[in-house]
C-alpha cells in the first residue's frame, strides 16, 4: 500500500476537484433558488415554477454527484491511511478530516432526500448546505495552520461561498435564461443574479487578498514557489471569468433598460464561464496539495533563475541514446555490483517508493527533445487550422491527424524507463502519477483528434460530435494543471513546471474559443474562429522554447 | 509527491506578530500586481506538509548510541495517524515509538542503541486537513 501513496496524491487532487465543483453547483443552485427565483416566483407565474423546479433538479444532481465523489475520497483516504499505518480502518476514520467528510456525507444525504421529495421541509436545505460549507472548510488549508486560524477560516468560508454563489449559480442562471428567453422577467432575474455575482466577486477578492497575505506573504514566495505560481494561474483564469462576467453584466443592464442586447451571447458566455469556473475549482483543489508558499523557504527559484530559464535556445532535434539515461546507467552499475556480490537483482527506481527517478544531462536532453518535437507538431497544427480557416486550403482540414501522430510520438517517447519500451512493468508504472498523466493525455489527444477529423471530413454528422474537440481540449488543459514530474530538486521542479502554466491557459482559452465559434454568430464567431488556432500556435512556440537547463 | 524536502537546521516557519502582519499587508499590492503577471505549476509534485526543522538534521552526523528525534512541520499533524520509520545501516527497518506531542506540529521519539553507520528516517504524516505526506531524513551516527 505504501507504493500507492504517490498515485493516491494525484487521485486525491482529481477527486477534490470534482467534489469542489459539485459542491459549488449544489450550494450555488440553492442560493439561486432562494435568493433569485423565490422572490420573483409570484411575478413570474408558471414560468417561475418551472425555473424553481429546474433549479431544484440541478441542486439535486449536484449534491448526488458531490456525495459520490465525497464517498470515493473518503474510501481512498481510509484505505491508504489504514494500509500505510496500523491497518485499522476505524482509526483511519477517526481523524478530523474523515469526521468532517462523514458529516458532509450525512448532510448531503439528507439534502438529497429533501430535494428529491420537495415540499416544506425543503426549506431546511440551505441549513444543510451551510453545514456542508462549514465541514468542507474544516478540511481546507486553514484547518492545518498553526496561527491565525479564525481569520483564515473566515477568509476560506467567504472564498468558497463567493465561488458557490457566482460560479455555482451559473447552471441555474443558464436554465433560467433558456426558460425565460426574453422579456422583463429575464431582465429582473438577470439583474438580481448579476448583483449577487458582483457581491461574490468582492467576497472572493477580499478573502483572496487575505489568504495571499497569510499563505504567500512576499513577492519572492509568489514567483519562487509552486504554490505562488499556481495562485498566479488561478488569478489569470479568474480574470478571464471576470472579463466574461463584465460582458454579461453589461448585457443584463442593457436588457433591464429595454435596450437591444444579444441574449444569445449572454447564454454562450455563461456556458464558457461554467467551463472556466470548473477549471478554477480544479486549480484550487490542486493548490491545496501544495505547501503554502510562506512555509517553503528552502529551494525557492529566484527571479534571475526564472529569467535565465526563459532565455530562448535553439531546439534540441536529436535524441540521446536511451541506454545513456541515468536510470539505465544506474541499473547497469547496480547489476554489476550485485553480480560481483552474488546478490539478487534490484531495480534502481521503484515507482511509488518515494525515491525519485535518477536524472542526468542525457535525461534533460531526452525530455527537451520530446517537448521540442511536440512543439513543432502543435505549431504545425495551429498553422494548418489557420490555413483551413482562410478558406484557401481545404486540404488543411486533416490537421487533427497530426494530434494522433503526436499521441503516437508520446507513446514511444514519454516514458523511457516505463512500460511498454522501458524495463519497468505496466503494473509498477501505474504507480507513478507522471506515467498515468501522460497516458491520459494520449487518450485525450486520440479521442478529440478522432472526433474532430471525423467531423471535418463529414464522417460524423451528429451535431454533438463537434463539441467533443473543445470539451476534451478543455479537460486536457485542466489536467495539465495537475501535471507533475518525479524530480527531487524543488527549484528545478518549479522551473520545469513553470512552462506548463501558459500551455494550460492557452489550451483552455483555445478550447473555449472554439466552443464560442460554434455557438455564436456574426463577428464574434469570426473572431473566435481565428483566435483558437492562434492559441495553438502559441502553445507550439512555448513547447519549442521549453528548457530544462 | 516528491519525497524528502530536506530539512533546515533552523526553524523557518514565521510566527506572525503584529509587525509581521503589517509588513505582509504592505506587500500585498505588489503581490496582487504580480499575480496578474505570473502563473505556474501544478501538481501534487510537492507535498502539503513539509519539515521546517529536524533533529537530527538531514545529512548531519550525530553521536550515538541514543539520539532524540524531533521533527517540526509547517502544519498541524495528526500524531495518532502519523509514523516514523528508521532504516538502519543493514537496511533493516523499525517503527519509532512516538512520544506524546509537545506541539500540534511536532513528531518526536527517541532512538536507542544505535551503532555507527548511515541511517534514514522515513516520515509519513497526516495533516489535520487530510493530506498525507512523506519524506526521508538521512543522517549518520559517528563511530
Amino acid at each position: 500500500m505504501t507504493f500507492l501513496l504517490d498515485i493516491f496524491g494525484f487521485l486525491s487532487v482529481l477527486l477534490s476537484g470534482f467534489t469542489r465543483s459539485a459542491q459549488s453547483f449544489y450550494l450555488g443552485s440553492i442560493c439561486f433558488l432562494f435568493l433569485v427565483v423565490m422572490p420573483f416566483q409570484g411575478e413570474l407565474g408558471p414560468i417561475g415554477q418551472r425555473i424553481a423546479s429546474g433549479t431544484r433538479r440541478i441542486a439535486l444532481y449536484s449534491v448526488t454527484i458531490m456525495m459520490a465523489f465525497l464517498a470515493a475520497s473518503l474510501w481512498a483516504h481510509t484505505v491508504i491511511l489504514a494500509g500505510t499505518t496500523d491497518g485499522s480502518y476505524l482509526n483511519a476514520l477517526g481523524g478530523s478530516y474523515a469526521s468532517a467528510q462523514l458529516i458532509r456525507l450525512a448532510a448531503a444525504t439528507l439534502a438529497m432526500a429533501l430535494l428529491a421529495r420537495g415540499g416544506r421541509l425543503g426549506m431546511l436545505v440551505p441549513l444543510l448546505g451551510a453545514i456542508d460549507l462549514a465541514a468542507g472548510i474544516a478540511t481546507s488549508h486553514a484547518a492545518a495552520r498553526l496561527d491565525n486560524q479564525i481569520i483564515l477560516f473566515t477568509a476560506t468560508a467567504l472564498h468558497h461561498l463567493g465561488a458557490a454563489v457566482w460560479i455555482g449559480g451559473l447552471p441555474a442562471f443558464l436554465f433560467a435564461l433558456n426558460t425565460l428567453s426574453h422579456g422583463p422577467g429575464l431582465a429582473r432575474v438577470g439583474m438580481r443574479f448579476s448583483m449577487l455575482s458582483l457581491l461574490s466577486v468582492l467576497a472572493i477578492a477580499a478573502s483572496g487578498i487575505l489568504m495571499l497575505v497569510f499563505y504567500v506573504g512576499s513577492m519572492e514566495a509568489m514567483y519562487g514557489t509552486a504554490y505562488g505560481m499556481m495562485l498566479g494561474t488561478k488569478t489569470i483564469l479568474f480574470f478571464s471569468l471576470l472579463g466574461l462576467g463584465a460582458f454579461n453584466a453589461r448585457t443584463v443592464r442593457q436588457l433591464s433598460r429595454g435596450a437591444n442586447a444579444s441574449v444569445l451571447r449572454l447564454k454562450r458566455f455563461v456556458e464558457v464561464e461554467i467551463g472556466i469556473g470548473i477549471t478554477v475549482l480544479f486549480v484550487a483543489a490542486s493548490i491545496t496539495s501544495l505547501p503554502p508558499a510562506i512555509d517553503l523557504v528552502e529551494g525557492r527559484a529566484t527571479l534571475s533563475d526564472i529569467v535565465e530559464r526563459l532565455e530562448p535556445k535553439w531546439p534540441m532535434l536529436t535524441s540521446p541514446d536511451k541506454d545513456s539515461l541515468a536510470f539505465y546507467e544506474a541499473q547497469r552499475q547496480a547489476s554489476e555490483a550485485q553480480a560481483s556480490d552474488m546478490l539478487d537483482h534490484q531495480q534502481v527506481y521503484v515507482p511509488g517508493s518515494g525515491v525519485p527517478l535518477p536524472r542526468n544531462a542525457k535525461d534533460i536532453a531526452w525530455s527537451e527533445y520530446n517537448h521540442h518535437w511536440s512543439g513543432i507538431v502543435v505549431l504545425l497544427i495551429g498553422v494548418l487550422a489557420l490555413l483551413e480557416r482562410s478558406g484557401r486550403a481545404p486540404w488543411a482540414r486533416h490537421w487533427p491527424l497530426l494530434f494522433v501522430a503526436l499521441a503516437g510520438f508520446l507513446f514511444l517517447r514519454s516514458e523511457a524507463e516505463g512500460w511498454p519500451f522501458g524495463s519497468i512493468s505496466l503494473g509498477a508504472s501505474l504507480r507513478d502519477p507522471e506515467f498515468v498523466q501522460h497516458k491520459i493525455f494520449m487518450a485525450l489527444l486520440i479521442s478529440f483528434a478522432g472526433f474532430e477529423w471525423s467531423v471535418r471530413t463529414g464522417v460524423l454528422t451528429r451535431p454533438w460530435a463537434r463539441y467533443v474537440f473543445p470539451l476534451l481540449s478543455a479537460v486536457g488543459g485542466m489536467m495539465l494543471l495537475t501535471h507533475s514530474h518525479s524530480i527531487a530538486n524543488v527549484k528545478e521542479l518549479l522551473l520545469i513546471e513553470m512552462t506548463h502554466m501558459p500551455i494550460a491557459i492557452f489550451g483552455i482559452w483555445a478550447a473555449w474559443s472554439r466552443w464560442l465559434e460554434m455557438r455564436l454568430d456574426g463577428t464574434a464567431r469570426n473572431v473566435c474562429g481565428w483566435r483558437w488556432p492562434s492559441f495553438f500556435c502559441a502553445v507550439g512556440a512555448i513547447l519549442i522554447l521549453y528548457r530544462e537547463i | 509527491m516528491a519525497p524528502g524536502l530536506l530539512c533546515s537546521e533552523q526553524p523557518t516557519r514565521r510566527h506572525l506578530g503584529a509587525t509581521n502582519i503589517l509588513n505582509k499587508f504592505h506587500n500585498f499590492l505588489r503581490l496582487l500586481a504580480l499575480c496578474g503577471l505570473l502563473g505556474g505549476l501544478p501538481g501534487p509534485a510537492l507535498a502539503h506538509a513539509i519539515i521546517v526543522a529536524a533533529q537530527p538534521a538531514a545529512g548531519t552526523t550525530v553521536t550515538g548510541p541514543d539520539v532524540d528525534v524531533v521533527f517540526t512541520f509547517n502544519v498541524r499533524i495528526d500524531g495518532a495517524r502519523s509514523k516514523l520509520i528508521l532504516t538502519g545501516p543493514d537496511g533493516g527497518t523499525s517503527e519509532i515509538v512516538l512520544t506524546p506531542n509537545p506541539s500540534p506540529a511536532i513528531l518526536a521519539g527517541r532512538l536507542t542503541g544505535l551503532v555507527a553507520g548511515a541511517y534514514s528516517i522515513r516520515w509519513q504524516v497526516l495533516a489535520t486537513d487530510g493530506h498525507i505526506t512523506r519524506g526521508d531524513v538521512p543522517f549518520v551516527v559517528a563511530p
Side-chain angles (χ1 to χ4, degrees):
Chain A
M1 196 59 79
T2 308
F3 287 124
L4 298 179
L5 261 177
D6 289 349
I7 197 71
F8 164 74
F10 171 60
L11 180 70
S12 67
V13 168
L14 292 186
L15 289 174
S16 170
F18 283 118
T19 310
R20 282 289 300 277
S21 303
Q23 183 201 35
S24 281
F25 295 135
Y26 158 51
L27 299 180
S29 305
I30 294 172
C31 291
F32 192 84
L33 182 65
F34 282 83
L35 301 176
V36 179
V37 183
M38 284 171 77
F40 295 130
Q41 213 169 339
E43 275 177 57
L44 294 171
I47 290 183
Q49 287 283 2
R50 216 185 314 155
I51 294 172
S53 160
T55 305
R56 207 165 23 241
R57 264 203 315 279
I58 294 170
L60 176 62
Y61 297 149
S62 304
V63 75
T64 308
I65 293 168
M66 186 187 82
M67 274 182 62
F69 283 111
L70 271 178
S73 299
L74 185 59
W75 172 80
H77 174 87
T78 309
V79 168
I80 204 84
L81 188 59
T84 55
T85 52
D86 61 359
S88 162
Y89 289 99
L90 266 182
N91 184 46
L93 279 170
S96 54
Y97 170 80
S99 305
Q101 297 291 77
L102 286 170
I103 290 169
R104 290 186 71 185
L105 272 173
T109 308
L110 202 51
M112 193 174 72
L114 294 179
L115 285 165
R117 191 166 168 266
R120 287 194 171 188
L121 281 174
M123 300 302 279
L124 288 175
V125 173
L127 177 67
L128 295 169
I131 291 172
D132 185 74
L133 183 73
I137 289 159
T139 63
S140 69
H141 263 319
R145 298 309 288 170
L146 293 160
D147 305 299
N148 306 299
Q149 273 196 305
I150 293 174
I151 298 174
L152 292 171
F153 272 129
T154 311
T156 310
L158 266 179
H159 215 63
H160 287 198
L161 187 63
V165 172
W166 175 26
I167 297 168
L170 288 168
F173 180 50
L174 187 61
F175 180 81
L177 287 177
N178 285 326
T179 310
L180 289 160
S181 53
H182 56 79
L186 186 144
R188 298 195 74 167
V189 167
M191 278 298 285
R192 197 167 175 95
F193 183 65
S194 181
M195 189 55 71
L196 272 177
S197 300
L198 182 65
L199 288 175
S200 302
V201 168
L202 291 175
I204 291 170
S207 53
I209 288 166
L210 260 183
M211 290 197 275
L212 189 67
V213 169
F214 286 101
Y215 290 142
V216 180
S218 69
M219 291 269 280
E220 292 74 22
M222 186 70 203
Y223 60 71
T225 65
Y227 186 98
M229 288 213 163
M230 194 67 174
L231 197 59
T233 308
K234 195 177 154 202
T235 310
I236 290 169
L237 290 171
F238 174 74
F239 278 111
S240 308
L241 281 176
L242 268 188
L244 291 165
F247 263 114
N248 287 349
R250 202 179 64 171
T251 306
V252 165
R253 270 152 192 73
Q254 285 170 340
L255 287 171
S256 73
R257 288 198 305 266
N260 245 350
S262 170
V263 178
L264 178 77
R265 196 179 65 183
L266 176 65
K267 289 181 192 173
R268 301 308 173 236
F269 277 14
V270 169
E271 289 169 1
V272 175
E273 271 189 273
I274 293 172
I276 297 181
I278 291 173
T279 310
V280 170
L281 293 168
F282 264 81
V283 176
S286 193
I287 287 179
T288 63
S289 70
L290 300 170
I294 200 164
D295 295 337
L296 197 71
V297 179
E298 304 280 321
R300 284 181 184 172
T302 64
L303 209 51
S304 60
D305 290 330
I306 294 170
V307 170
E308 193 187 325
R309 187 59 62 90
L310 293 175
E311 192 184 312
K313 212 179 80 174
W314 190 252
M316 168 87 63
L317 299 177
T318 52
S319 170
D321 189 56
K322 195 169 89 172
D323 287 338
S324 65
L325 303 182
F327 170 81
Y328 291 104
E329 274 193 353
Q331 193 95 307
R332 270 196 305 278
Q333 285 166 9
S335 296
E336 285 163 15
Q338 283 151 7
S340 61
D341 291 335
M342 302 295 285
L343 294 173
D344 289 339
H345 178 77
Q346 283 184 330
Q347 190 89 290
V348 294
Y349 167 65
V350 179
S353 66
V355 178
L357 191 65
R359 252 169 95 80
N360 63 19
K362 300 290 184 189
D363 287 88
I364 291 169
W366 179 277
S367 176
E368 286 188 349
Y369 171 91
N370 292 351
H371 283 86
H372 295 161
W373 273 109
S374 300
I376 290 168
V377 175
V378 175
L379 182 62
L380 196 56
I381 288 169
V383 171
L384 288 176
L386 283 171
L387 278 175
E388 187 199 3
R389 174 78 202 163
S390 72
R392 293 179 186 174
W395 53 268
R397 70 182 184 283
H398 296 291
W399 59 261
L401 292 178
L402 281 174
F403 273 122
V404 179
L406 183 61
F409 175 73
L410 288 176
F411 184 69
L412 293 172
R413 296 276 312 183
S414 64
E415 265 76 34
E417 303 82 8
W419 180 87
F421 304 108
S423 61
I424 301 172
S425 70
L426 174 62
S429 296
L430 286 171
R431 300 195 301 253
D432 179 356
E434 194 177 348
F435 175 91
V436 173
Q437 286 162 33
H438 285 158
K439 297 299 173 271
I440 293 173
F441 286 132
M442 286 171 214
L444 284 173
L445 283 175
I446 291 171
S447 307
F448 71 61
F451 271 98
E452 191 62 11
W453 181 79
S454 304
V455 168
R456 285 178 187 273
T457 53
V459 174
L460 257 179
T461 51
R462 299 277 176 108
W464 58 264
R466 59 198 187 124
Y467 296 116
V468 173
F469 172 63
L471 287 176
L472 289 187
S473 301
V475 170
M478 199 163 73
M479 289 285 299
L480 204 54
L481 295 172
T482 64
H483 188 234
S484 65
H485 285 93
S486 308
I487 298 169
N489 187 311
V490 176
K491 192 204 284 188
E492 278 307 309
L493 182 72
L494 169 73
L495 291 169
I496 287 174
E497 299 285 9
M498 191 172 63
T499 323
H500 290 77
M501 182 280 306
I503 294 174
I505 288 179
F506 281 127
I508 289 160
W509 284 347
W512 293 111
S513 296
R514 170 71 180 135
W515 178 272
L516 287 177
E517 184 197 7
M518 290 185 295
R519 305 278 291 165
L520 282 173
D521 52 18
T523 313
R525 180 194 181 96
N526 274 336
V527 170
C528 290
W530 286 105
R531 212 158 57 171
W532 66 264
S534 310
F535 288 141
F536 272 118
C537 291
V539 169
I542 293 167
L543 282 167
I544 290 171
L545 295 173
Y546 175 86
R547 286 175 55 190
E548 288 191 11
I549 195 162
Chain B
M1 267 184 278
L5 289 166
L6 298 183
C7 328
S8 59
E9 284 275 9
Q10 299 299 319
T12 48
R13 192 174 60 74
R14 297 169 183 189
H15 293 276
L16 294 171
T19 317
N20 250 340
I21 291 174
L22 280 177
N23 286 340
K24 285 166 204 313
F25 273 109
H26 180 74
N27 281 336
F28 95 82
L29 277 178
R30 290 164 69 207
L31 273 169
L32 272 184
L34 198 69
C35 267
L37 300 173
L38 285 180
L41 152 79
L46 293 176
H48 179 70
I50 52 173
I51 289 185
V52 292
Q55 179 195 330
T60 55
T61 300
V62 296
T63 310
D66 299 340
V67 176
D68 283 323
V69 177
V70 183
F71 288 173
T72 307
F73 293 88
N74 62 325
V75 290
R76 290 172 190 270
I77 298 301
D78 184 340
R81 291 160 193 85
S82 302
K83 65 178 184 179
L84 299 177
I85 303 274
L86 178 72
T87 304
D90 59 353
T93 59
S94 59
E95 188 159 348
I96 300 170
V97 178
L98 298 175
T99 52
N101 280 12
S103 141
I106 289 179
L107 280 187
R110 186 169 170 77
L111 306 171
T112 54
L114 299 186
V115 296
Y119 290 81
S120 180
I121 297 174
R122 162 68 57 103
W123 54 269
Q124 181 188 310
V125 297
L126 172 67
T128 51
D129 57 4
H131 290 280
I132 302 170
T133 313
R134 68 180 168 183
D136 297 288
V137 177
F139 65 98
V140 172
V141 173

